[in-house]
Amino acid sequence: MAVKVMIADDHSMIREGLKQLLELEGDFEVIAEACDGVDCLERLKTVVPDILLLDINMPNMNGLEVLQKMKDMKMKVKVLVLTVHNEVEYLLKAVDIGVNGYLLKDSESAELKKAILAVVNGEDYIQPSLIPVLNSKMLDRDSDSSKIESLTRRELEVLKMLSYGTYNKEIAEHLNISERTVKNHVSNIFKKIGVTDRTQAAVFAIRNNLITI
């Protein structure tokens, strides 16, 4: 039985190229294509592929948004992200959502087929060259999580406010505490999260989604 594949990519030439590549030896059958994120979700209502090859950069709704929607809708289709993005932030986001595989478009055809078969058979497949940086990023995030957990509720409030550029006096007035107390909180925060100034503290807050900008 051929593996049933769906391709979601906004470039028709890429879709056609993938289709020809996969169907050349008869092991794979492309049963559906989608040109953007919205189209992808609509087609998944009527077809059930063994695997979805999903691009990230698509109009109307990008691949990560599609992945999140699929998770919210409890779709059981396995997903292999096929992208040009080698930035770890994209990979980390996809992993957080629950992607089954992540592969770069410049991979060899043999590796693409290997990745598809691995995912279809219940394994996770991550581009080998991206694994070291992914592991490093996840270790850094685990370290940040323990730092955040060490903060008291009040220190977390102060961190968020100072990250928005709020002065100590304004923080004190907002929280109905003394400015001296705010300074003590700031000092404790710096020690706990391992920074030396307010800019570094703000970067820490942004990196860990404690504030939005």
Side-chain angles (χ1 to χ4, degrees), residues 6-10 15 32-47 52 54-70 73 75:
M6 176 174 167
I7 303 171
D9 194 296
D10 61 322
R15 295 198 306 272
E33 299 179 28
C35 61
D36 61 44
V38 173
D39 185 31
C40 177
L41 291 174
E42 283 299 312
R43 289 179 182 271
L44 284 172
K45 293 177 182 178
T46 58
V47 297
L52 167 65
L54 181 65
D55 188 23
I56 288 182
N57 282 349
M58 294 190 295
N60 298 324
M61 184 183 294
N62 67 44
L64 294 179
E65 291 171 326
V66 169
L67 193 60
Q68 185 62 60
K69 283 285 187 181
M70 291 178 66
M73 297 166 70
M75 291 185 178

CSV table of all heavy atoms in Angstrom, one decimal, residues 6-10 15 32-47 52 54-70 73 75:
chain,number,residue,atom,x,y,z
A,6,MET,N,-0.4,14.4,1.7
A,6,MET,CA,-0.9,15.6,1.3
A,6,MET,C,0.2,16.7,1.4
A,6,MET,O,1.0,16.7,2.3
A,6,MET,CB,-2.1,16.0,2.2
A,6,MET,CG,-2.7,17.4,1.9
A,6,MET,SD,-4.2,17.7,2.9
A,6,MET,CE,-4.4,19.5,2.6
A,7,ILE,N,0.2,17.6,0.4
A,7,ILE,CA,1.2,18.7,0.4
A,7,ILE,C,0.6,20.0,0.5
A,7,ILE,O,-0.3,20.4,-0.2
A,7,ILE,CB,2.0,18.6,-0.9
A,7,ILE,CG1,2.7,17.2,-1.2
A,7,ILE,CG2,3.1,19.7,-1.0
A,7,ILE,CD1,3.3,17.0,-2.5
A,8,ALA,N,1.0,20.8,1.5
A,8,ALA,CA,0.6,22.2,1.7
A,8,ALA,C,1.7,23.1,1.5
A,8,ALA,O,2.6,23.2,2.3
A,8,ALA,CB,-0.1,22.3,3.1
A,9,ASP,N,1.7,23.8,0.4
A,9,ASP,CA,2.8,24.8,0.0
A,9,ASP,C,2.2,25.8,-0.9
A,9,ASP,O,1.5,25.4,-1.9
A,9,ASP,CB,4.0,24.0,-0.6
A,9,ASP,CG,5.3,24.9,-0.6
A,9,ASP,OD1,5.3,25.9,-1.3
A,9,ASP,OD2,6.2,24.5,0.1
A,10,ASP,N,2.6,27.0,-0.8
A,10,ASP,CA,2.0,28.1,-1.6
A,10,ASP,C,2.7,28.2,-3.0
A,10,ASP,O,2.2,28.9,-3.9
A,10,ASP,CB,2.0,29.4,-0.9
A,10,ASP,CG,3.4,29.9,-0.6
A,10,ASP,OD1,4.2,29.1,-0.2
A,10,ASP,OD2,3.7,31.1,-0.7
A,15,ARG,N,5.1,22.0,-5.1
A,15,ARG,CA,4.1,21.0,-4.9
A,15,ARG,C,4.2,19.9,-6.1
A,15,ARG,O,4.2,18.7,-5.8
A,15,ARG,CB,2.7,21.5,-4.9
A,15,ARG,CG,2.4,22.4,-3.7
A,15,ARG,CD,0.9,22.6,-3.5
A,15,ARG,NE,0.2,23.1,-4.7
A,15,ARG,CZ,0.0,24.3,-5.0
A,15,ARG,NH1,0.5,25.3,-4.3
A,15,ARG,NH2,-0.7,24.7,-6.1
A,32,ALA,N,-3.8,14.9,-2.1
A,32,ALA,CA,-4.3,16.2,-2.0
A,32,ALA,C,-3.2,17.3,-1.9
A,32,ALA,O,-2.1,17.0,-1.5
A,32,ALA,CB,-5.3,16.3,-0.8
A,33,GLU,N,-3.6,18.5,-2.4
A,33,GLU,CA,-2.6,19.6,-2.3
A,33,GLU,C,-3.4,20.8,-1.8
A,33,GLU,O,-4.6,20.9,-2.0
A,33,GLU,CB,-2.0,19.9,-3.7
A,33,GLU,CG,-1.2,18.8,-4.3
A,33,GLU,CD,-0.7,19.1,-5.7
A,33,GLU,OE1,-0.5,20.3,-5.9
A,33,GLU,OE2,-0.6,18.2,-6.5
A,34,ALA,N,-2.7,21.7,-1.1
A,34,ALA,CA,-3.2,23.0,-0.7
A,34,ALA,C,-2.3,24.1,-0.9
A,34,ALA,O,-1.0,23.9,-0.8
A,34,ALA,CB,-3.6,22.9,0.8
A,35,CYS,N,-2.8,25.3,-1.3
A,35,CYS,CA,-1.9,26.4,-1.6
A,35,CYS,C,-1.8,27.4,-0.5
A,35,CYS,O,-1.0,28.4,-0.6
A,35,CYS,CB,-2.5,27.1,-2.9
A,35,CYS,SG,-4.2,27.8,-2.6
A,36,ASP,N,-2.5,27.3,0.6
A,36,ASP,CA,-2.3,28.1,1.8
A,36,ASP,C,-2.9,27.4,3.0
A,36,ASP,O,-3.4,26.3,2.9
A,36,ASP,CB,-3.0,29.5,1.6
A,36,ASP,CG,-4.5,29.5,1.3
A,36,ASP,OD1,-5.2,28.7,2.1
A,36,ASP,OD2,-5.0,30.2,0.4
A,37,GLY,N,-2.7,28.1,4.1
A,37,GLY,CA,-3.2,27.5,5.4
A,37,GLY,C,-4.6,27.2,5.5
A,37,GLY,O,-5.1,26.1,6.0
A,38,VAL,N,-5.4,28.2,5.1
A,38,VAL,CA,-6.9,28.0,5.1
A,38,VAL,C,-7.3,26.9,4.2
A,38,VAL,O,-8.2,26.0,4.6
A,38,VAL,CB,-7.6,29.3,4.7
A,38,VAL,CG1,-9.1,29.1,4.7
A,38,VAL,CG2,-7.3,30.4,5.8
A,39,ASP,N,-6.8,26.9,3.0
A,39,ASP,CA,-7.1,25.8,2.0
A,39,ASP,C,-6.7,24.4,2.6
A,39,ASP,O,-7.4,23.4,2.4
A,39,ASP,CB,-6.3,26.1,0.7
A,39,ASP,CG,-6.7,25.1,-0.4
A,39,ASP,OD1,-7.8,24.6,-0.4
A,39,ASP,OD2,-5.8,24.8,-1.2
A,40,CYS,N,-5.6,24.4,3.3
A,40,CYS,CA,-5.1,23.1,3.9
A,40,CYS,C,-6.1,22.6,4.9
A,40,CYS,O,-6.5,21.4,4.9
A,40,CYS,CB,-3.8,23.4,4.6
A,40,CYS,SG,-3.1,21.9,5.5
A,41,LEU,N,-6.6,23.4,5.8
A,41,LEU,CA,-7.6,23.0,6.8
A,41,LEU,C,-8.9,22.5,6.2
A,41,LEU,O,-9.5,21.6,6.6
A,41,LEU,CB,-7.8,24.1,7.9
A,41,LEU,CG,-6.6,24.4,8.8
A,41,LEU,CD1,-6.9,25.6,9.7
A,41,LEU,CD2,-6.3,23.2,9.7
A,42,GLU,N,-9.3,23.2,5.2
A,42,GLU,CA,-10.5,22.9,4.5
A,42,GLU,C,-10.4,21.5,3.8
A,42,GLU,O,-11.3,20.7,3.9
A,42,GLU,CB,-10.9,23.9,3.4
A,42,GLU,CG,-11.5,25.2,4.0
A,42,GLU,CD,-12.8,25.0,4.7
A,42,GLU,OE1,-13.7,24.2,4.2
A,42,GLU,OE2,-12.9,25.4,5.9
A,43,ARG,N,-9.3,21.2,3.2
A,43,ARG,CA,-9.1,20.0,2.5
A,43,ARG,C,-9.0,18.8,3.5
A,43,ARG,O,-9.4,17.7,3.2
A,43,ARG,CB,-7.9,20.0,1.6
A,43,ARG,CG,-8.1,20.9,0.3
A,43,ARG,CD,-6.9,21.0,-0.6
A,43,ARG,NE,-7.1,21.9,-1.7
A,43,ARG,CZ,-7.7,21.6,-2.8
A,43,ARG,NH1,-8.0,20.3,-3.0
A,43,ARG,NH2,-7.9,22.4,-3.8
A,44,LEU,N,-8.4,19.1,4.7
A,44,LEU,CA,-8.3,18.0,5.7
A,44,LEU,C,-9.7,17.6,6.2
A,44,LEU,O,-9.8,16.6,6.9
A,44,LEU,CB,-7.4,18.5,6.8
A,44,LEU,CG,-5.9,18.5,6.5
A,44,LEU,CD1,-5.1,19.2,7.6
A,44,LEU,CD2,-5.4,17.1,6.3
A,45,LYS,N,-10.7,18.4,5.9
A,45,LYS,CA,-12.1,18.0,6.3
A,45,LYS,C,-12.6,16.9,5.4
A,45,LYS,O,-13.6,16.2,5.8
A,45,LYS,CB,-13.0,19.2,6.3
A,45,LYS,CG,-12.7,20.3,7.3
A,45,LYS,CD,-13.6,21.4,7.2
A,45,LYS,CE,-13.3,22.5,8.2
A,45,LYS,NZ,-14.2,23.7,8.0
A,46,THR,N,-12.0,16.7,4.2
A,46,THR,CA,-12.6,15.7,3.2
A,46,THR,C,-11.6,14.6,2.9
A,46,THR,O,-12.0,13.6,2.3
A,46,THR,CB,-13.0,16.5,2.0
A,46,THR,OG1,-11.9,17.2,1.4
A,46,THR,CG2,-14.1,17.5,2.3
A,47,VAL,N,-10.3,14.8,3.2
A,47,VAL,CA,-9.3,13.8,2.9
A,47,VAL,C,-8.6,13.4,4.2
A,47,VAL,O,-8.4,14.2,5.1
A,47,VAL,CB,-8.3,14.2,1.8
A,47,VAL,CG1,-9.0,14.5,0.5
A,47,VAL,CG2,-7.5,15.4,2.3
A,52,LEU,N,0.9,14.8,6.3
A,52,LEU,CA,0.8,16.1,5.7
A,52,LEU,C,2.2,16.7,5.7
A,52,LEU,O,2.9,16.8,6.7
A,52,LEU,CB,-0.1,17.0,6.5
A,52,LEU,CG,-0.1,18.5,6.2
A,52,LEU,CD1,-0.6,18.7,4.8
A,52,LEU,CD2,-0.9,19.3,7.2
A,54,LEU,N,4.0,20.0,5.4
A,54,LEU,CA,3.5,21.3,5.7
A,54,LEU,C,4.6,22.4,5.6
A,54,LEU,O,5.6,22.3,6.3
A,54,LEU,CB,2.8,21.3,7.0
A,54,LEU,CG,2.2,22.6,7.6
A,54,LEU,CD1,1.0,23.1,6.7
A,54,LEU,CD2,1.8,22.5,9.0
A,55,ASP,N,4.4,23.4,4.7
A,55,ASP,CA,5.3,24.5,4.7
A,55,ASP,C,5.0,25.5,5.8
A,55,ASP,O,3.8,25.5,6.3
A,55,ASP,CB,5.2,25.2,3.3
A,55,ASP,CG,6.3,26.3,3.1
A,55,ASP,OD1,7.3,26.2,3.7
A,55,ASP,OD2,6.0,27.2,2.3
A,56,ILE,N,5.9,26.3,6.2
A,56,ILE,CA,5.7,27.3,7.2
A,56,ILE,C,5.2,28.6,6.6
A,56,ILE,O,4.2,29.2,7.0
A,56,ILE,CB,6.9,27.6,8.1
A,56,ILE,CG1,7.2,26.4,9.0
A,56,ILE,CG2,6.7,28.8,8.9
A,56,ILE,CD1,8.3,26.5,9.9
A,57,ASN,N,5.9,29.1,5.6
A,57,ASN,CA,5.6,30.4,5.0
A,57,ASN,C,4.5,30.2,3.9
A,57,ASN,O,4.7,29.9,2.8
A,57,ASN,CB,6.8,31.0,4.3
A,57,ASN,CG,7.8,31.6,5.2
A,57,ASN,OD1,7.4,31.8,6.4
A,57,ASN,ND2,9.0,32.0,4.8
A,58,MET,N,3.2,30.5,4.4
A,58,MET,CA,2.1,30.4,3.5
A,58,MET,C,1.2,31.6,3.8
A,58,MET,O,1.1,32.1,4.9
A,58,MET,CB,1.3,29.1,3.7
A,58,MET,CG,2.0,27.9,3.3
A,58,MET,SD,1.0,26.4,3.2
A,58,MET,CE,0.5,26.3,5.0
A,59,PRO,N,0.5,32.1,2.8
A,59,PRO,CA,-0.5,33.2,3.0
A,59,PRO,C,-1.7,32.8,3.7
A,59,PRO,O,-2.0,31.6,3.9
A,59,PRO,CB,-0.8,33.7,1.6
A,59,PRO,CG,-0.6,32.4,0.7
A,59,PRO,CD,0.5,31.7,1.4
A,60,ASN,N,-2.5,33.8,4.2
A,60,ASN,CA,-3.7,33.6,4.9
A,60,ASN,C,-3.6,32.9,6.3
A,60,ASN,O,-4.1,33.4,7.3
A,60,ASN,CB,-4.7,32.8,4.1
A,60,ASN,CG,-5.1,33.4,2.8
A,60,ASN,OD1,-5.2,34.7,2.8
A,60,ASN,ND2,-5.3,32.7,1.8
A,61,MET,N,-2.8,31.8,6.4
A,61,MET,CA,-2.5,31.2,7.7
A,61,MET,C,-1.2,30.4,7.5
A,61,MET,O,-1.1,29.6,6.6
A,61,MET,CB,-3.7,30.3,8.1
A,61,MET,CG,-3.5,29.6,9.4
A,61,MET,SD,-4.8,28.5,9.8
A,61,MET,CE,-6.2,29.6,9.9
A,62,ASN,N,-0.2,30.7,8.3
A,62,ASN,CA,1.1,30.1,8.1
A,62,ASN,C,1.0,28.6,8.7
A,62,ASN,O,0.1,28.2,9.3
A,62,ASN,CB,2.2,30.9,8.7
A,62,ASN,CG,2.2,31.0,10.2
A,62,ASN,OD1,2.0,30.0,10.9
A,62,ASN,ND2,2.5,32.2,10.7
A,63,GLY,N,2.1,27.9,8.4
A,63,GLY,CA,2.2,26.5,8.8
A,63,GLY,C,2.0,26.3,10.3
A,63,GLY,O,1.4,25.3,10.7
A,64,LEU,N,2.7,27.1,11.1
A,64,LEU,CA,2.6,26.9,12.5
A,64,LEU,C,1.2,27.2,13.0
A,64,LEU,O,0.7,26.5,14.0
A,64,LEU,CB,3.6,27.9,13.2
A,64,LEU,CG,5.1,27.6,13.0
A,64,LEU,CD1,6.0,28.6,13.7
A,64,LEU,CD2,5.5,26.2,13.4
A,65,GLU,N,0.5,28.1,12.4
A,65,GLU,CA,-0.9,28.4,12.8
A,65,GLU,C,-1.8,27.2,12.4
A,65,GLU,O,-2.7,26.8,13.1
A,65,GLU,CB,-1.4,29.7,12.1
A,65,GLU,CG,-0.7,30.9,12.7
A,65,GLU,CD,-1.1,32.2,11.9
A,65,GLU,OE1,-1.2,32.1,10.6
A,65,GLU,OE2,-1.2,33.2,12.5
A,66,VAL,N,-1.5,26.6,11.2
A,66,VAL,CA,-2.2,25.4,10.8
A,66,VAL,C,-2.0,24.3,11.8
A,66,VAL,O,-2.9,23.6,12.2
A,66,VAL,CB,-1.8,25.0,9.4
A,66,VAL,CG1,-2.4,23.6,9.1
A,66,VAL,CG2,-2.2,26.0,8.4
A,67,LEU,N,-0.7,24.1,12.2
A,67,LEU,CA,-0.4,23.1,13.1
A,67,LEU,C,-1.1,23.2,14.4
A,67,LEU,O,-1.7,22.2,15.0
A,67,LEU,CB,1.1,23.1,13.4
A,67,LEU,CG,1.8,21.9,14.1
A,67,LEU,CD1,1.5,20.6,13.3
A,67,LEU,CD2,3.2,22.1,14.3
A,68,GLN,N,-1.2,24.5,14.9
A,68,GLN,CA,-1.9,24.7,16.2
A,68,GLN,C,-3.4,24.5,16.0
A,68,GLN,O,-4.1,23.9,16.9
A,68,GLN,CB,-1.7,26.2,16.6
A,68,GLN,CG,-2.3,26.6,18.0
A,68,GLN,CD,-1.7,25.8,19.1
A,68,GLN,OE1,-0.5,25.8,19.3
A,68,GLN,NE2,-2.6,25.0,19.8
A,69,LYS,N,-4.0,24.9,14.9
A,69,LYS,CA,-5.4,24.6,14.6
A,69,LYS,C,-5.7,23.1,14.6
A,69,LYS,O,-6.7,22.7,15.1
A,69,LYS,CB,-5.8,25.3,13.3
A,69,LYS,CG,-6.0,26.8,13.3
A,69,LYS,CD,-7.3,27.1,14.0
A,69,LYS,CE,-7.6,28.6,13.9
A,69,LYS,NZ,-8.9,29.0,14.6
A,70,MET,N,-4.8,22.4,13.9
A,70,MET,CA,-5.0,20.9,13.9
A,70,MET,C,-5.0,20.3,15.2
A,70,MET,O,-5.8,19.4,15.5
A,70,MET,CB,-3.9,20.3,13.0
A,70,MET,CG,-4.0,20.7,11.5
A,70,MET,SD,-2.6,20.0,10.5
A,70,MET,CE,-3.0,18.2,10.7
A,73,MET,N,-8.2,21.2,17.0
A,73,MET,CA,-9.3,20.4,16.4
A,73,MET,C,-9.2,18.9,16.6
A,73,MET,O,-10.0,18.1,16.1
A,73,MET,CB,-9.5,20.7,14.9
A,73,MET,CG,-9.8,22.2,14.6
A,73,MET,SD,-9.6,22.7,12.9
A,73,MET,CE,-10.9,21.8,12.1
A,75,MET,N,-7.1,16.8,15.3
A,75,MET,CA,-6.9,16.0,14.0
A,75,MET,C,-5.8,15.0,14.3
A,75,MET,O,-4.8,15.4,14.9
A,75,MET,CB,-6.6,17.0,12.9
A,75,MET,CG,-7.7,17.8,12.4
A,75,MET,SD,-7.3,18.8,10.9
A,75,MET,CE,-8.8,19.6,10.6
